[in-house]
Amino acid sequence: VQAILCIILLLTCLLLGLLKGQNGTLKELIYLGLKNKEFIPFYQPIVDSSSQQVIGCEILVRWIKKNGEIISPNLFIPIAEYNGQIFELTYDLLNQVSADIGKLALKHPDFYVSLNVIPEQLEDDNFAENVFKILKKHQIEANNIAFEVTERTPFTNLKKAEKVINQLKSQNIDIKLDDAGTGYGGFSYLQELPIDTLKIDKMFVETIGTNDVKSKILSSIILFGKNAGLKMIAEGVENQEQVEYLNRKGITLIQGYYYAKPMPFEDFSRYYERNLAT
Ligand code: C2E
Ligand code: CA
Ligand code: CA
Ligand code: CA
């Protein structure tokens, strides 16, 4: 028995060592990627289905290697979040996005670009100031920027988060709750934090028209959002049936392949201008 325990212990140590080494290597690779400007913002339109107008977009990062290979955020964002590189990555994206949207020809005043952040960023004393600095550098109006925060990791200091969110809101930067209903706090944060929009996750949208129990959760989220007076955006919307269901429930703001996939800025800018022309 002792021998077996010894072997298990040895294997565990080896595995932990490997994981640590692996994470160390990935951290190094992300560091180099940042240095070489390999993290590129892709833009996915958010459309008001009642007017067909593009009212904003979400930024979804892509890691594009020198050889053209595109790496999905699911493969590196968790690591960047874990080791704190997400701060530098977000500032880098905000710089690129600000430079990009400065070039958008027909910009209606309420148009916004929404960037993903984690609770840790909204609890950081310097976050709002750093964001304002970047926007100022590019002469971008703060109300053209928004943030969406996921509950993948928990808030640990709601007082701090409230302070930072209020700093951002004082400049008309809106904060949305991403992946509502999938993460840590349920809806408890919404009582504590000045958040005014819910993003309804694809996980729920895809149950529309099925018997999945999750479709009951979808109904509850929508009811909750309505009662709490929150704005709602449905994401991962892929077909007409889903759009019609959501419209019947009073949700008109739609993001998903039904309208468009995330795309590089050049394509988005064409999409946006064509949309404004119609
Ligand atoms: P998310 O914030 O929930 O973003 C929505 C994901 O759904 C995106 O995946 C998007 O491409 C995908 N999507 C949108 N519409 C549809 C649809 O109609 N059908 C399907 N099948 N998928 C759709 P993506 O781009 O792979 O991003 C994955 C996750 O990575 C994001 O999930 C977000 O949590 C994270 N992420 C991406 N960029 C950033 C970033 O700059 N910072 C942080 N912290 N996280 C990011
Ligand atoms: Ca998001
Ligand atoms: Ca989401
Ligand atoms: Ca999601």
Side-chain angles (χ1 to χ4, degrees), residues 97-99 101-102 107 135-136 138-142 144-145:
V97 163
S98 300
I101 63 171
K107 198 165 35 161
L135 298 181
K136 199 165 172 204
H138 294 277
Q139 295 180 298
I140 294 298
E141 298 286 344
N144 292 136
I145 298 294

Side-chain angles (χ1 to χ4, degrees), residues 182-196:
T182 67
Y184 267 90
F187 295 114
S188 60
Y189 297 141
L190 289 166
Q191 297 163 32
E192 317 266 348
L193 298 174
I195 289 175
D196 33 38

Side-chain angles (χ1 to χ4, degrees), residues 178-179 201-203 235:
D178 200 359
D179 304 336
D201 197 65
K202 175 173 172 294
M203 181 198 287
E235 61 179 9

Side-chain angles (χ1 to χ4, degrees), residues 91 94-95 98-99 124-142 145 147 167-168 171 173:
Y91 297 138
L94 185 59
N95 262 301
S98 300
D124 182 82
D125 288 329
N126 300 315
F127 186 73
E129 196 186 322
N130 288 337
V131 166
F132 298 151
K133 256 190 229 152
I134 294 171
L135 298 181
K136 199 165 172 204
K137 184 169 91 191
H138 294 277
Q139 295 180 298
I140 294 298
E141 298 286 344
I145 298 294
F147 291 106
Q167 286 172 333
L168 294 167
Q171 303 294 314
I173 297 181

Side-chain angles (χ1 to χ4, degrees), residues 222-236:
I222 294 175
L223 198 64
F224 171 82
K226 265 189 203 156
N227 287 336
L230 297 162
K231 268 192 280 184
M232 287 180 269
I233 300 173
E235 61 179 9

Side-chain angles (χ1 to χ4, degrees), residues 5 27-28 31 45 61 116 171 183-184 219-220 227 261:
L5 278 178
K27 187 174 180 183
E28 187 71 10
Y31 169 78
V61 65
N116 288 282
Q171 303 294 314
Y184 267 90
S219 312
S220 325
N227 287 336
K261 290 191 174 179

Side-chain angles (χ1 to χ4, degrees), residues 152-211:
R152 249 200 314 277
T153 56
F155 281 96
T156 58
N157 190 332
L158 286 173
K159 274 273 154 295
K160 272 193 168 179
E162 190 184 356
K163 188 173 159 216
V164 176
I165 293 176
N166 279 326
Q167 286 172 333
L168 294 167
K169 280 178 72 91
S170 75
Q171 303 294 314
N172 295 318
I173 297 181
D174 269 348
I175 314 294
K176 307 174 208 311
L177 184 68
D178 200 359
D179 304 336
T182 67
Y184 267 90
F187 295 114
S188 60
Y189 297 141
L190 289 166
Q191 297 163 32
E192 317 266 348
L193 298 174
I195 289 175
D196 33 38
T197 307
L198 287 185
K199 291 194 80 171
I200 301 173
D201 197 65
K202 175 173 172 294
M203 181 198 287
F204 302 114
V205 169
E206 67 193 10
T207 66
I208 291 171
T210 72
N211 292 320

